Amino acid sequence: MKIAIASDHAGFDLKEQLKQAFGEVDWLDLGTNGSASVDYADFGYAVGQAITDRQVERGIVICGSGIGISIAANRFPTVRAALCTNDTMARLSRQHNDANVLALGSRIIGFEIACDCVRAFLGTAFEGGRHQRRIDMLGAVGRPGA
């Protein structure tokens, strides 16, 4: 499975560390390519577009807090980005929410926790069943209150 990965300047070092730690993953690196200041939205959008265009099935986005870049990625109707700070959140985001983008905050969690999150995100399947109905509601026209 090919995985898109992108970060702003604050997430650059963690992005590079994760790519090395998970060398078996087929990465589509969408930037940034250094520590010079950039806008997180550009990189959240890049991963959102890669999901939308079906270049990849899943993505990982990283900024300082994980918040801004996850908001940017979630602007795409095809994206379900989950900001996770531990492996339980990452596992549940896949099992219950069929998250296809993992968002991480490089200033919030360290490398080991980030690795735990990535392992859980990549290794957990969506359970479907009762959860599918709820996922379907996310794309429903007129929600909430439809």
PDB file of all heavy atoms in Angstrom, residues 1-6 14-31 47 50 55-56 58-62 102 104 111 114-115 117-119 121-122:
ATOM      1  N   MET A   1       0.848  -1.182   0.000  1.00  0.00           N
ATOM      2  CA  MET A   1       0.000   0.000   0.000  1.00  0.00           C
ATOM      3  C   MET A   1       0.893   1.244   0.000  1.00  0.00           C
ATOM      4  O   MET A   1       1.811   1.349   0.797  1.00  0.00           O
ATOM      5  CB  MET A   1      -0.895  -0.009   1.246  1.00  0.00           C
ATOM      6  CG  MET A   1      -1.763   1.211   1.369  1.00  0.00           C
ATOM      7  SD  MET A   1      -2.791   1.333   2.876  1.00  0.00           S
ATOM      8  CE  MET A   1      -3.059  -0.323   3.368  1.00  0.00           C
ATOM      9  N   LYS A   2       0.584   2.157  -0.900  1.00  0.00           N
ATOM     10  CA  LYS A   2       1.325   3.424  -0.962  1.00  0.00           C
ATOM     11  C   LYS A   2       0.684   4.406   0.020  1.00  0.00           C
ATOM     12  O   LYS A   2      -0.539   4.536   0.062  1.00  0.00           O
ATOM     13  CB  LYS A   2       1.291   3.990  -2.376  1.00  0.00           C
ATOM     14  CG  LYS A   2       2.139   5.229  -2.551  1.00  0.00           C
ATOM     15  CD  LYS A   2       2.195   5.640  -3.998  1.00  0.00           C
ATOM     16  CE  LYS A   2       3.612   5.416  -4.437  1.00  0.00           C
ATOM     17  NZ  LYS A   2       3.867   5.818  -5.794  1.00  0.00           N
ATOM     18  N   ILE A   3       1.512   5.086   0.797  1.00  0.00           N
ATOM     19  CA  ILE A   3       1.052   6.027   1.813  1.00  0.00           C
ATOM     20  C   ILE A   3       1.616   7.412   1.503  1.00  0.00           C
ATOM     21  O   ILE A   3       2.839   7.571   1.377  1.00  0.00           O
ATOM     22  CB  ILE A   3       1.526   5.613   3.232  1.00  0.00           C
ATOM     23  CG1 ILE A   3       1.140   4.165   3.551  1.00  0.00           C
ATOM     24  CG2 ILE A   3       1.005   6.584   4.291  1.00  0.00           C
ATOM     25  CD1 ILE A   3      -0.335   3.921   3.669  1.00  0.00           C
ATOM     26  N   ALA A   4       0.746   8.417   1.400  1.00  0.00           N
ATOM     27  CA  ALA A   4       1.201   9.800   1.250  1.00  0.00           C
ATOM     28  C   ALA A   4       1.640  10.307   2.621  1.00  0.00           C
ATOM     29  O   ALA A   4       1.048   9.961   3.647  1.00  0.00           O
ATOM     30  CB  ALA A   4       0.085  10.674   0.703  1.00  0.00           C
ATOM     31  N   ILE A   5       2.668  11.115   2.628  1.00  0.00           N
ATOM     32  CA  ILE A   5       3.131  11.740   3.858  1.00  0.00           C
ATOM     33  C   ILE A   5       3.533  13.170   3.537  1.00  0.00           C
ATOM     34  O   ILE A   5       4.120  13.436   2.482  1.00  0.00           O
ATOM     35  CB  ILE A   5       4.286  10.957   4.519  1.00  0.00           C
ATOM     36  CG1 ILE A   5       4.579  11.483   5.936  1.00  0.00           C
ATOM     37  CG2 ILE A   5       5.510  10.919   3.625  1.00  0.00           C
ATOM     38  CD1 ILE A   5       5.458  10.577   6.770  1.00  0.00           C
ATOM     39  N   ALA A   6       3.162  14.089   4.419  1.00  0.00           N
ATOM     40  CA  ALA A   6       3.513  15.499   4.225  1.00  0.00           C
ATOM     41  C   ALA A   6       3.557  16.186   5.578  1.00  0.00           C
ATOM     42  O   ALA A   6       2.919  15.761   6.536  1.00  0.00           O
ATOM     43  CB  ALA A   6       2.497  16.190   3.311  1.00  0.00           C
ATOM     44  N   LEU A  14      10.196  14.973  12.120  1.00  0.00           N
ATOM     45  CA  LEU A  14       9.432  13.771  12.455  1.00  0.00           C
ATOM     46  C   LEU A  14       9.045  13.013  11.186  1.00  0.00           C
ATOM     47  O   LEU A  14       9.102  11.779  11.154  1.00  0.00           O
ATOM     48  CB  LEU A  14       8.201  14.127  13.288  1.00  0.00           C
ATOM     49  CG  LEU A  14       7.329  12.951  13.729  1.00  0.00           C
ATOM     50  CD1 LEU A  14       8.133  11.919  14.526  1.00  0.00           C
ATOM     51  CD2 LEU A  14       6.140  13.461  14.542  1.00  0.00           C
ATOM     52  N   LYS A  15       8.665  13.729  10.146  1.00  0.00           N
ATOM     53  CA  LYS A  15       8.326  13.086   8.867  1.00  0.00           C
ATOM     54  C   LYS A  15       9.506  12.256   8.372  1.00  0.00           C
ATOM     55  O   LYS A  15       9.340  11.091   7.994  1.00  0.00           O
ATOM     56  CB  LYS A  15       7.931  14.129   7.825  1.00  0.00           C
ATOM     57  CG  LYS A  15       7.672  13.538   6.428  1.00  0.00           C
ATOM     58  CD  LYS A  15       7.240  14.598   5.434  1.00  0.00           C
ATOM     59  CE  LYS A  15       8.321  15.560   5.065  1.00  0.00           C
ATOM     60  NZ  LYS A  15       9.017  15.269   3.812  1.00  0.00           N
ATOM     61  N   GLU A  16      10.679  12.834   8.376  1.00  0.00           N
ATOM     62  CA  GLU A  16      11.867  12.128   7.889  1.00  0.00           C
ATOM     63  C   GLU A  16      12.196  10.926   8.776  1.00  0.00           C
ATOM     64  O   GLU A  16      12.578   9.861   8.268  1.00  0.00           O
ATOM     65  CB  GLU A  16      13.048  13.092   7.798  1.00  0.00           C
ATOM     66  CG  GLU A  16      12.854  14.187   6.760  1.00  0.00           C
ATOM     67  CD  GLU A  16      12.616  13.646   5.359  1.00  0.00           C
ATOM     68  OE1 GLU A  16      13.410  12.795   4.901  1.00  0.00           O
ATOM     69  OE2 GLU A  16      11.626  14.063   4.719  1.00  0.00           O
ATOM     70  N   GLN A  17      12.053  11.083  10.087  1.00  0.00           N
ATOM     71  CA  GLN A  17      12.313   9.971  11.006  1.00  0.00           C
ATOM     72  C   GLN A  17      11.336   8.819  10.775  1.00  0.00           C
ATOM     73  O   GLN A  17      11.728   7.648  10.804  1.00  0.00           O
ATOM     74  CB  GLN A  17      12.215  10.443  12.453  1.00  0.00           C
ATOM     75  CG  GLN A  17      13.324  11.365  12.877  1.00  0.00           C
ATOM     76  CD  GLN A  17      13.083  11.951  14.262  1.00  0.00           C
ATOM     77  OE1 GLN A  17      11.938  12.143  14.687  1.00  0.00           O
ATOM     78  NE2 GLN A  17      14.158  12.239  14.973  1.00  0.00           N
ATOM     79  N   LEU A  18      10.072   9.143  10.551  1.00  0.00           N
ATOM     80  CA  LEU A  18       9.067   8.099  10.315  1.00  0.00           C
ATOM     81  C   LEU A  18       9.320   7.372   9.002  1.00  0.00           C
ATOM     82  O   LEU A  18       9.176   6.144   8.923  1.00  0.00           O
ATOM     83  CB  LEU A  18       7.656   8.690  10.341  1.00  0.00           C
ATOM     84  CG  LEU A  18       7.167   9.148  11.711  1.00  0.00           C
ATOM     85  CD1 LEU A  18       5.835   9.879  11.587  1.00  0.00           C
ATOM     86  CD2 LEU A  18       7.054   7.964  12.674  1.00  0.00           C
ATOM     87  N   LYS A  19       9.704   8.100   7.979  1.00  0.00           N
ATOM     88  CA  LYS A  19      10.014   7.461   6.699  1.00  0.00           C
ATOM     89  C   LYS A  19      11.154   6.460   6.862  1.00  0.00           C
ATOM     90  O   LYS A  19      11.114   5.377   6.274  1.00  0.00           O
ATOM     91  CB  LYS A  19      10.370   8.511   5.643  1.00  0.00           C
ATOM     92  CG  LYS A  19       9.168   9.256   5.113  1.00  0.00           C
ATOM     93  CD  LYS A  19       9.500  10.409   4.191  1.00  0.00           C
ATOM     94  CE  LYS A  19      10.745  10.288   3.386  1.00  0.00           C
ATOM     95  NZ  LYS A  19      11.100  11.527   2.663  1.00  0.00           N
ATOM     96  N   GLN A  20      12.146   6.818   7.665  1.00  0.00           N
ATOM     97  CA  GLN A  20      13.271   5.913   7.911  1.00  0.00           C
ATOM     98  C   GLN A  20      12.848   4.726   8.757  1.00  0.00           C
ATOM     99  O   GLN A  20      13.209   3.584   8.467  1.00  0.00           O
ATOM    100  CB  GLN A  20      14.400   6.665   8.605  1.00  0.00           C
ATOM    101  CG  GLN A  20      15.582   6.844   7.721  1.00  0.00           C
ATOM    102  CD  GLN A  20      16.753   7.456   8.464  1.00  0.00           C
ATOM    103  OE1 GLN A  20      16.660   7.995   9.556  1.00  0.00           O
ATOM    104  NE2 GLN A  20      17.897   7.371   7.823  1.00  0.00           N
ATOM    105  N   ALA A  21      12.073   4.978   9.799  1.00  0.00           N
ATOM    106  CA  ALA A  21      11.659   3.915  10.716  1.00  0.00           C
ATOM    107  C   ALA A  21      10.742   2.906  10.031  1.00  0.00           C
ATOM    108  O   ALA A  21      10.744   1.721  10.392  1.00  0.00           O
ATOM    109  CB  ALA A  21      10.961   4.511  11.936  1.00  0.00           C
ATOM    110  N   PHE A  22       9.972   3.369   9.061  1.00  0.00           N
ATOM    111  CA  PHE A  22       9.044   2.503   8.332  1.00  0.00           C
ATOM    112  C   PHE A  22       9.499   2.405   6.876  1.00  0.00           C
ATOM    113  O   PHE A  22       8.756   2.699   5.946  1.00  0.00           O
ATOM    114  CB  PHE A  22       7.616   3.052   8.440  1.00  0.00           C
ATOM    115  CG  PHE A  22       7.058   2.976   9.832  1.00  0.00           C
ATOM    116  CD1 PHE A  22       7.266   4.014  10.731  1.00  0.00           C
ATOM    117  CD2 PHE A  22       6.357   1.855  10.264  1.00  0.00           C
ATOM    118  CE1 PHE A  22       6.774   3.952  12.030  1.00  0.00           C
ATOM    119  CE2 PHE A  22       5.863   1.779  11.557  1.00  0.00           C
ATOM    120  CZ  PHE A  22       6.068   2.820  12.449  1.00  0.00           C
ATOM    121  N   GLY A  23      10.735   1.957   6.718  1.00  0.00           N
ATOM    122  CA  GLY A  23      11.343   1.874   5.397  1.00  0.00           C
ATOM    123  C   GLY A  23      10.644   0.917   4.451  1.00  0.00           C
ATOM    124  O   GLY A  23      10.785   1.021   3.235  1.00  0.00           O
ATOM    125  N   GLU A  24       9.865  -0.019   5.001  1.00  0.00           N
ATOM    126  CA  GLU A  24       9.146  -0.985   4.166  1.00  0.00           C
ATOM    127  C   GLU A  24       7.913  -0.374   3.499  1.00  0.00           C
ATOM    128  O   GLU A  24       7.342  -0.953   2.569  1.00  0.00           O
ATOM    129  CB  GLU A  24       8.728  -2.208   5.000  1.00  0.00           C
ATOM    130  CG  GLU A  24       7.592  -1.959   5.997  1.00  0.00           C
ATOM    131  CD  GLU A  24       7.990  -1.240   7.300  1.00  0.00           C
ATOM    132  OE1 GLU A  24       9.157  -0.847   7.466  1.00  0.00           O
ATOM    133  OE2 GLU A  24       7.098  -1.084   8.157  1.00  0.00           O
ATOM    134  N   VAL A  25       7.506   0.794   3.956  1.00  0.00           N
ATOM    135  CA  VAL A  25       6.331   1.468   3.396  1.00  0.00           C
ATOM    136  C   VAL A  25       6.707   2.137   2.075  1.00  0.00           C
ATOM    137  O   VAL A  25       7.799   2.707   1.948  1.00  0.00           O
ATOM    138  CB  VAL A  25       5.775   2.517   4.398  1.00  0.00           C
ATOM    139  CG1 VAL A  25       4.702   3.378   3.762  1.00  0.00           C
ATOM    140  CG2 VAL A  25       5.262   1.831   5.654  1.00  0.00           C
ATOM    141  N   ASP A  26       5.801   2.061   1.125  1.00  0.00           N
ATOM    142  CA  ASP A  26       5.971   2.769  -0.151  1.00  0.00           C
ATOM    143  C   ASP A  26       5.443   4.189   0.055  1.00  0.00           C
ATOM    144  O   ASP A  26       4.236   4.424  -0.011  1.00  0.00           O
ATOM    145  CB  ASP A  26       5.198   2.037  -1.248  1.00  0.00           C
ATOM    146  CG  ASP A  26       5.395   2.647  -2.627  1.00  0.00           C
ATOM    147  OD1 ASP A  26       6.279   3.514  -2.796  1.00  0.00           O
ATOM    148  OD2 ASP A  26       4.643   2.249  -3.536  1.00  0.00           O
ATOM    149  N   TRP A  27       6.329   5.136   0.347  1.00  0.00           N
ATOM    150  CA  TRP A  27       5.952   6.510   0.676  1.00  0.00           C
ATOM    151  C   TRP A  27       5.812   7.373  -0.566  1.00  0.00           C
ATOM    152  O   TRP A  27       6.644   7.314  -1.467  1.00  0.00           O
ATOM    153  CB  TRP A  27       7.002   7.155   1.574  1.00  0.00           C
ATOM    154  CG  TRP A  27       7.143   6.549   2.935  1.00  0.00           C
ATOM    155  CD1 TRP A  27       8.184   5.804   3.385  1.00  0.00           C
ATOM    156  CD2 TRP A  27       6.219   6.646   4.016  1.00  0.00           C
ATOM    157  NE1 TRP A  27       7.971   5.435   4.694  1.00  0.00           N
ATOM    158  CE2 TRP A  27       6.762   5.933   5.103  1.00  0.00           C
ATOM    159  CE3 TRP A  27       4.974   7.255   4.178  1.00  0.00           C
ATOM    160  CZ2 TRP A  27       6.119   5.811   6.327  1.00  0.00           C
ATOM    161  CZ3 TRP A  27       4.331   7.140   5.404  1.00  0.00           C
ATOM    162  CH2 TRP A  27       4.897   6.434   6.458  1.00  0.00           C
ATOM    163  N   LEU A  28       4.785   8.184  -0.583  1.00  0.00           N
ATOM    164  CA  LEU A  28       4.654   9.285  -1.535  1.00  0.00           C
ATOM    165  C   LEU A  28       4.868  10.553  -0.729  1.00  0.00           C
ATOM    166  O   LEU A  28       3.966  11.016  -0.027  1.00  0.00           O
ATOM    167  CB  LEU A  28       3.273   9.283  -2.202  1.00  0.00           C
ATOM    168  CG  LEU A  28       2.957  10.485  -3.104  1.00  0.00           C
ATOM    169  CD1 LEU A  28       3.934  10.548  -4.277  1.00  0.00           C
ATOM    170  CD2 LEU A  28       1.509  10.424  -3.581  1.00  0.00           C
ATOM    171  N   ASP A  29       6.071  11.079  -0.755  1.00  0.00           N
ATOM    172  CA  ASP A  29       6.427  12.256   0.048  1.00  0.00           C
ATOM    173  C   ASP A  29       6.002  13.512  -0.701  1.00  0.00           C
ATOM    174  O   ASP A  29       6.528  13.829  -1.761  1.00  0.00           O
ATOM    175  CB  ASP A  29       7.926  12.271   0.320  1.00  0.00           C
ATOM    176  CG  ASP A  29       8.331  13.356   1.308  1.00  0.00           C
ATOM    177  OD1 ASP A  29       7.583  14.348   1.483  1.00  0.00           O
ATOM    178  OD2 ASP A  29       9.414  13.216   1.901  1.00  0.00           O
ATOM    179  N   LEU A  30       5.057  14.231  -0.126  1.00  0.00           N
ATOM    180  CA  LEU A  30       4.502  15.443  -0.739  1.00  0.00           C
ATOM    181  C   LEU A  30       5.062  16.718  -0.120  1.00  0.00           C
ATOM    182  O   LEU A  30       4.510  17.792  -0.328  1.00  0.00           O
ATOM    183  CB  LEU A  30       2.972  15.396  -0.658  1.00  0.00           C
ATOM    184  CG  LEU A  30       2.338  14.216  -1.406  1.00  0.00           C
ATOM    185  CD1 LEU A  30       0.851  14.128  -1.135  1.00  0.00           C
ATOM    186  CD2 LEU A  30       2.613  14.325  -2.893  1.00  0.00           C
ATOM    187  N   GLY A  31       6.171  16.593   0.616  1.00  0.00           N
ATOM    188  CA  GLY A  31       6.826  17.772   1.161  1.00  0.00           C
ATOM    189  C   GLY A  31       6.472  18.002   2.620  1.00  0.00           C
ATOM    190  O   GLY A  31       5.737  17.246   3.206  1.00  0.00           O
ATOM    191  N   VAL A  47      -2.055  16.126   0.586  1.00  0.00           N
ATOM    192  CA  VAL A  47      -2.440  14.760   0.953  1.00  0.00           C
ATOM    193  C   VAL A  47      -3.924  14.544   0.663  1.00  0.00           C
ATOM    194  O   VAL A  47      -4.310  13.492   0.141  1.00  0.00           O
ATOM    195  CB  VAL A  47      -2.090  14.461   2.429  1.00  0.00           C
ATOM    196  CG1 VAL A  47      -2.697  13.138   2.875  1.00  0.00           C
ATOM    197  CG2 VAL A  47      -0.575  14.437   2.598  1.00  0.00           C
ATOM    198  N   ALA A  50      -4.222  13.851  -2.960  1.00  0.00           N
ATOM    199  CA  ALA A  50      -3.708  12.522  -3.311  1.00  0.00           C
ATOM    200  C   ALA A  50      -4.714  11.429  -2.965  1.00  0.00           C
ATOM    201  O   ALA A  50      -4.870  10.455  -3.721  1.00  0.00           O
ATOM    202  CB  ALA A  50      -2.374  12.268  -2.611  1.00  0.00           C
ATOM    203  N   GLN A  55      -4.397   8.364  -5.707  1.00  0.00           N
ATOM    204  CA  GLN A  55      -2.968   8.054  -5.827  1.00  0.00           C
ATOM    205  C   GLN A  55      -2.535   7.154  -4.678  1.00  0.00           C
ATOM    206  O   GLN A  55      -1.586   6.386  -4.810  1.00  0.00           O
ATOM    207  CB  GLN A  55      -2.124   9.327  -5.808  1.00  0.00           C
ATOM    208  CG  GLN A  55      -2.288  10.211  -7.003  1.00  0.00           C
ATOM    209  CD  GLN A  55      -1.427  11.463  -6.842  1.00  0.00           C
ATOM    210  OE1 GLN A  55      -1.521  12.171  -5.853  1.00  0.00           O
ATOM    211  NE2 GLN A  55      -0.580  11.705  -7.837  1.00  0.00           N
ATOM    212  N   VAL A  56      -3.219   7.315  -3.535  1.00  0.00           N
ATOM    213  CA  VAL A  56      -2.928   6.562  -2.316  1.00  0.00           C
ATOM    214  C   VAL A  56      -4.239   6.229  -1.627  1.00  0.00           C
ATOM    215  O   VAL A  56      -5.262   6.870  -1.858  1.00  0.00           O
ATOM    216  CB  VAL A  56      -2.026   7.371  -1.347  1.00  0.00           C
ATOM    217  CG1 VAL A  56      -0.649   7.616  -1.943  1.00  0.00           C
ATOM    218  CG2 VAL A  56      -2.680   8.666  -0.941  1.00  0.00           C
ATOM    219  N   ARG A  58      -4.153   5.887   1.904  1.00  0.00           N
ATOM    220  CA  ARG A  58      -4.025   6.525   3.214  1.00  0.00           C
ATOM    221  C   ARG A  58      -2.915   7.560   3.182  1.00  0.00           C
ATOM    222  O   ARG A  58      -2.061   7.556   2.296  1.00  0.00           O
ATOM    223  CB  ARG A  58      -3.713   5.503   4.304  1.00  0.00           C
ATOM    224  CG  ARG A  58      -4.834   4.522   4.534  1.00  0.00           C
ATOM    225  CD  ARG A  58      -4.597   3.708   5.760  1.00  0.00           C
ATOM    226  NE  ARG A  58      -5.329   2.456   5.676  1.00  0.00           N
ATOM    227  CZ  ARG A  58      -5.109   1.413   6.432  1.00  0.00           C
ATOM    228  NH1 ARG A  58      -4.168   1.446   7.361  1.00  0.00           N
ATOM    229  NH2 ARG A  58      -5.811   0.315   6.291  1.00  0.00           N
ATOM    230  N   GLY A  59      -2.944   8.426   4.211  1.00  0.00           N
ATOM    231  CA  GLY A  59      -1.922   9.445   4.323  1.00  0.00           C
ATOM    232  C   GLY A  59      -1.592   9.756   5.768  1.00  0.00           C
ATOM    233  O   GLY A  59      -2.351   9.413   6.681  1.00  0.00           O
ATOM    234  N   ILE A  60      -0.463  10.413   5.945  1.00  0.00           N
ATOM    235  CA  ILE A  60      -0.026  10.897   7.256  1.00  0.00           C
ATOM    236  C   ILE A  60       0.363  12.356   7.077  1.00  0.00           C
ATOM    237  O   ILE A  60       1.106  12.699   6.148  1.00  0.00           O
ATOM    238  CB  ILE A  60       1.160  10.079   7.794  1.00  0.00           C
ATOM    239  CG1 ILE A  60       0.735   8.619   8.005  1.00  0.00           C
ATOM    240  CG2 ILE A  60       1.697  10.691   9.093  1.00  0.00           C
ATOM    241  CD1 ILE A  60       1.866   7.684   8.384  1.00  0.00           C
ATOM    242  N   VAL A  61      -0.161  13.210   7.944  1.00  0.00           N
ATOM    243  CA  VAL A  61       0.150  14.639   7.910  1.00  0.00           C
ATOM    244  C   VAL A  61       0.683  15.061   9.274  1.00  0.00           C
ATOM    245  O   VAL A  61       0.222  14.575  10.300  1.00  0.00           O
ATOM    246  CB  VAL A  61      -1.073  15.490   7.495  1.00  0.00           C
ATOM    247  CG1 VAL A  61      -1.474  15.192   6.059  1.00  0.00           C
ATOM    248  CG2 VAL A  61      -2.265  15.273   8.419  1.00  0.00           C
ATOM    249  N   ILE A  62       1.665  15.963   9.259  1.00  0.00           N
ATOM    250  CA  ILE A  62       2.328  16.357  10.500  1.00  0.00           C
ATOM    251  C   ILE A  62       2.577  17.861  10.490  1.00  0.00           C
ATOM    252  O   ILE A  62       3.129  18.403   9.530  1.00  0.00           O
ATOM    253  CB  ILE A  62       3.688  15.640  10.657  1.00  0.00           C
ATOM    254  CG1 ILE A  62       3.545  14.135  10.461  1.00  0.00           C
ATOM    255  CG2 ILE A  62       4.309  15.959  12.028  1.00  0.00           C
ATOM    256  CD1 ILE A  62       4.864  13.420  10.214  1.00  0.00           C
ATOM    257  N   LEU A 102      -3.851   9.974   9.053  1.00  0.00           N
ATOM    258  CA  LEU A 102      -3.400  10.121  10.436  1.00  0.00           C
ATOM    259  C   LEU A 102      -2.703  11.470  10.555  1.00  0.00           C
ATOM    260  O   LEU A 102      -1.790  11.772   9.791  1.00  0.00           O
ATOM    261  CB  LEU A 102      -2.414   8.999  10.780  1.00  0.00           C
ATOM    262  CG  LEU A 102      -1.682   9.109  12.118  1.00  0.00           C
ATOM    263  CD1 LEU A 102      -2.658   8.997  13.282  1.00  0.00           C
ATOM    264  CD2 LEU A 102      -0.592   8.030  12.202  1.00  0.00           C
ATOM    265  N   LEU A 104      -0.531  14.014  13.073  1.00  0.00           N
ATOM    266  CA  LEU A 104       0.334  13.982  14.245  1.00  0.00           C
ATOM    267  C   LEU A 104       0.854  15.379  14.543  1.00  0.00           C
ATOM    268  O   LEU A 104       1.118  16.156  13.620  1.00  0.00           O
ATOM    269  CB  LEU A 104       1.522  13.050  14.004  1.00  0.00           C
ATOM    270  CG  LEU A 104       1.192  11.589  13.703  1.00  0.00           C
ATOM    271  CD1 LEU A 104       2.446  10.842  13.255  1.00  0.00           C
ATOM    272  CD2 LEU A 104       0.562  10.919  14.913  1.00  0.00           C
ATOM    273  N   PHE A 111       8.912  10.845  19.147  1.00  0.00           N
ATOM    274  CA  PHE A 111       9.117   9.891  18.073  1.00  0.00           C
ATOM    275  C   PHE A 111       8.533   8.516  18.393  1.00  0.00           C
ATOM    276  O   PHE A 111       7.877   7.899  17.552  1.00  0.00           O
ATOM    277  CB  PHE A 111      10.614   9.781  17.753  1.00  0.00           C
ATOM    278  CG  PHE A 111      10.943   8.735  16.755  1.00  0.00           C
ATOM    279  CD1 PHE A 111      10.534   8.857  15.433  1.00  0.00           C
ATOM    280  CD2 PHE A 111      11.659   7.600  17.131  1.00  0.00           C
ATOM    281  CE1 PHE A 111      10.840   7.883  14.498  1.00  0.00           C
ATOM    282  CE2 PHE A 111      11.966   6.616  16.205  1.00  0.00           C
ATOM    283  CZ  PHE A 111      11.553   6.756  14.890  1.00  0.00           C
ATOM    284  N   ALA A 114       4.817   8.562  18.186  1.00  0.00           N
ATOM    285  CA  ALA A 114       4.459   8.700  16.767  1.00  0.00           C
ATOM    286  C   ALA A 114       4.577   7.350  16.064  1.00  0.00           C
ATOM    287  O   ALA A 114       3.692   6.977  15.280  1.00  0.00           O
ATOM    288  CB  ALA A 114       5.330   9.749  16.090  1.00  0.00           C
ATOM    289  N   CYS A 115       5.629   6.609  16.343  1.00  0.00           N
ATOM    290  CA  CYS A 115       5.788   5.277  15.750  1.00  0.00           C
ATOM    291  C   CYS A 115       4.653   4.341  16.169  1.00  0.00           C
ATOM    292  O   CYS A 115       4.125   3.588  15.338  1.00  0.00           O
ATOM    293  CB  CYS A 115       7.130   4.667  16.143  1.00  0.00           C
ATOM    294  SG  CYS A 115       8.548   5.385  15.279  1.00  0.00           S
ATOM    295  N   CYS A 117       1.664   5.214  16.952  1.00  0.00           N
ATOM    296  CA  CYS A 117       0.469   5.666  16.226  1.00  0.00           C
ATOM    297  C   CYS A 117       0.490   5.178  14.781  1.00  0.00           C
ATOM    298  O   CYS A 117      -0.528   4.690  14.267  1.00  0.00           O
ATOM    299  CB  CYS A 117       0.357   7.191  16.261  1.00  0.00           C
ATOM    300  SG  CYS A 117      -0.046   7.887  17.872  1.00  0.00           S
ATOM    301  N   VAL A 118       1.624   5.314  14.123  1.00  0.00           N
ATOM    302  CA  VAL A 118       1.740   4.886  12.728  1.00  0.00           C
ATOM    303  C   VAL A 118       1.533   3.381  12.623  1.00  0.00           C
ATOM    304  O   VAL A 118       0.799   2.898  11.745  1.00  0.00           O
ATOM    305  CB  VAL A 118       3.090   5.316  12.121  1.00  0.00           C
ATOM    306  CG1 VAL A 118       3.314   4.670  10.761  1.00  0.00           C
ATOM    307  CG2 VAL A 118       3.152   6.835  12.017  1.00  0.00           C
ATOM    308  N   ARG A 119       2.141   2.604  13.527  1.00  0.00           N
ATOM    309  CA  ARG A 119       1.961   1.149  13.522  1.00  0.00           C
ATOM    310  C   ARG A 119       0.494   0.777  13.663  1.00  0.00           C
ATOM    311  O   ARG A 119      -0.011  -0.063  12.911  1.00  0.00           O
ATOM    312  CB  ARG A 119       2.764   0.524  14.659  1.00  0.00           C
ATOM    313  CG  ARG A 119       3.888  -0.334  14.180  1.00  0.00           C
ATOM    314  CD  ARG A 119       4.611  -1.135  15.236  1.00  0.00           C
ATOM    315  NE  ARG A 119       5.247  -0.604  16.385  1.00  0.00           N
ATOM    316  CZ  ARG A 119       6.122   0.401  16.473  1.00  0.00           C
ATOM    317  NH1 ARG A 119       6.434   1.103  15.445  1.00  0.00           N
ATOM    318  NH2 ARG A 119       6.670   0.740  17.589  1.00  0.00           N
ATOM    319  N   PHE A 121      -2.142   2.709  13.060  1.00  0.00           N
ATOM    320  CA  PHE A 121      -2.880   3.234  11.907  1.00  0.00           C
ATOM    321  C   PHE A 121      -2.718   2.330  10.679  1.00  0.00           C
ATOM    322  O   PHE A 121      -3.686   2.032   9.982  1.00  0.00           O
ATOM    323  CB  PHE A 121      -2.403   4.654  11.602  1.00  0.00           C
ATOM    324  CG  PHE A 121      -3.076   5.306  10.440  1.00  0.00           C
ATOM    325  CD1 PHE A 121      -4.381   5.765  10.529  1.00  0.00           C
ATOM    326  CD2 PHE A 121      -2.398   5.488   9.238  1.00  0.00           C
ATOM    327  CE1 PHE A 121      -5.009   6.378   9.453  1.00  0.00           C
ATOM    328  CE2 PHE A 121      -3.000   6.102   8.158  1.00  0.00           C
ATOM    329  CZ  PHE A 121      -4.307   6.544   8.263  1.00  0.00           C
ATOM    330  N   LEU A 122      -1.493   1.894  10.424  1.00  0.00           N
ATOM    331  CA  LEU A 122      -1.240   1.072   9.246  1.00  0.00           C
ATOM    332  C   LEU A 122      -1.672  -0.379   9.438  1.00  0.00           C
ATOM    333  O   LEU A 122      -2.007  -1.058   8.468  1.00  0.00           O
ATOM    334  CB  LEU A 122       0.243   1.121   8.871  1.00  0.00           C
ATOM    335  CG  LEU A 122       0.792   2.480   8.453  1.00  0.00           C
ATOM    336  CD1 LEU A 122       2.271   2.376   8.111  1.00  0.00           C
ATOM    337  CD2 LEU A 122      -0.002   3.056   7.293  1.00  0.00           C
TER     338      LEU A 122
END
